Amino acid sequence: MKKIIKILCVLLTLAIGGCSAPSAQEKPKDSPEKPKKLSVVATIFPQYDFARQITGGLADVHMLLPPGAETHSFEPTPQDIIKIQNCDVFVYVGGDSDAWVERILASIDTSKMKVVTLMSLVDTVEEVAVEGMQEEEEEEEEGDAPEYDEHVWTSPKNAAEIVKELVGIISEKDPSNEETYRANADKYLAQLAELDETFKDIVSNSELHTLVFGDRFPFRYFADEYKLDYFAAFPGCSTEIEANPVTIGFLIRKVNEEKIPAVFHIELSNEKIANAICESTGARLLLFNSAHNLSKSDFDGGATYLDIMKQNAETLKIALEYKGSAE
Ligand SMILES: [Zn+2]
């Protein structure tokens, strides 16, 4: 991987050096130039969508991760590195899955861009394994830094915090459009607040408060925010996909004991474990979408973080046996 990055960086230097010089000469000196749009590059979907909501078409917002791709094994292309090099604002998550980002940033000139991580904008918690969860077999070395859970955006409250900070950062880089950016952000923050109220209402008017995931669990921030208990096959960013029989057996027992009506899988999952639990218990198989990435068709259809979370609210009602709003 290090080698690949090195080669990519050489290519990048060639690409930038190779094409910028002649184009500068070709440009007639007095041509009325359109002001260049602000360029925002985001690694994955949540921050891509937040930047899109704030800028509302006034900036070029680009997502590096191809729609439908797995987030945790992403490898940038030379074009991706050029996009990062040339952008004004670069937003990534800042967790363990982003080790590749740090290596690229260390090798390019970032003096003219604003680089920001989602994890620096909110309070983070350590990734923990709850009872029954199958942890990755990693050799823990003494002095290992604690692994912080990177799925900060899964809580709408955190999403709002991130948007509040992002609008300031984007406005600083493009002050001429600040007023519009701030107005867009305010409108969006109102929708996020409404979403938060929806989840609060569901949780406070439901019989159950336990989620079961036959999958990875990237919802620590969401569960903490709404005080939900959870059981899952793997922690949030685990690369494991095959659960052992002990894990599956534990989750089946939980579903039976607590009479859980629905078992979740996450997006772009093979659904195998959740399916096995449902077959054995009669529970319903439902999607709870963590919005790491979208399928190609959802992306092309313009789906947003809010769309995804509103769908999550509907499936949550089923899983928690929502009784309806008291008001
Ligand atoms: Zn993840």
Side-chain angles (χ1 to χ4, degrees), residues 33-39 58 60 86-88 174 177:
E33 251 184 274
K34 251 206 216 158
K36 187 183 156 283
K37 265 189 179 182
L38 183 84
S39 157
L58 288 176
D60 286 322
N86 292 335
C87 77
D88 302 303
D174 184 16
N177 288 315

Side-chain angles (χ1 to χ4, degrees), residues 72 97 150-151 153 218 236-237 292:
H72 306 95
S97 305
E150 55 192 54
H151 307 97
W153 66 86
C237 270
H292 275 89

Side-chain angles (χ1 to χ4, degrees), residues 164-326:
K164 279 180 205 161
E165 296 289 335
L166 265 188
V167 68
I169 291 164
I170 288 173
S171 300
E172 214 174 283
K173 276 282 173 195
D174 184 16
S176 59
N177 288 315
E178 173 159 10
E179 218 172 292
T180 313
Y181 295 152
R182 299 249 174 222
N184 290 345
D186 285 345
K187 209 172 118 212
Y188 188 53
L189 287 168
Q191 291 176 301
L192 288 173
E194 206 177 296
L195 177 71
D196 176 47
E197 288 303 322
T198 303
F199 282 123
K200 275 193 203 147
D201 168 58
I202 294 171
V203 172
S204 61
N205 292 297
S206 287
E207 294 287 338
L208 299 169
H209 291 101
T210 303
L211 307 172
V212 175
F213 277 68
D215 218 317
R216 301 199 304 253
F217 188 78
F219 296 100
R220 168 96 200 269
Y221 294 91
F222 178 86
D224 284 1
E225 182 61 44
Y226 301 107
K227 301 189 175 57
L228 294 168
D229 295 322
Y230 57 90
F231 298 98
F234 314 107
C237 270
S238 172
T239 48
E240 307 268 348
I241 42 166
E242 297 291 337
N244 63 40
V246 179
T247 301
I248 298 181
F250 174 86
L251 294 174
I252 288 173
R253 217 168 49 243
K254 275 287 158 201
V255 170
N256 286 333
E257 273 171 17
E258 303 199 20
K259 300 192 171 57
I260 307 277
V263 172
F264 288 114
H265 69 86
I266 62 171
E267 74 282 7
L268 307 170
S269 152
N270 66 15
E271 302 171 29
K272 258 167 70 180
I273 302 165
N275 225 331
I277 299 166
C278 288
E279 268 172 27
S280 154
T281 58
R284 261 178 89 171
L285 178 67
L286 295 175
L287 164 68
F288 208 74
N289 194 329
S290 67
H292 275 89
N293 197 3
L294 301 184
S295 68
K296 176 95 173 62
S297 62
D298 283 349
F299 188 82
D300 292 343
T304 65
Y305 172 86
L306 275 177
D307 294 336
I308 291 169
M309 293 306 268
K310 281 177 188 167
Q311 253 162 20
N312 284 343
E314 291 310 308
T315 53
L316 193 66
K317 284 179 182 172
I318 300 168
L320 299 184
E321 297 189 331
Y322 176 62
K323 298 174 293 186
S325 176

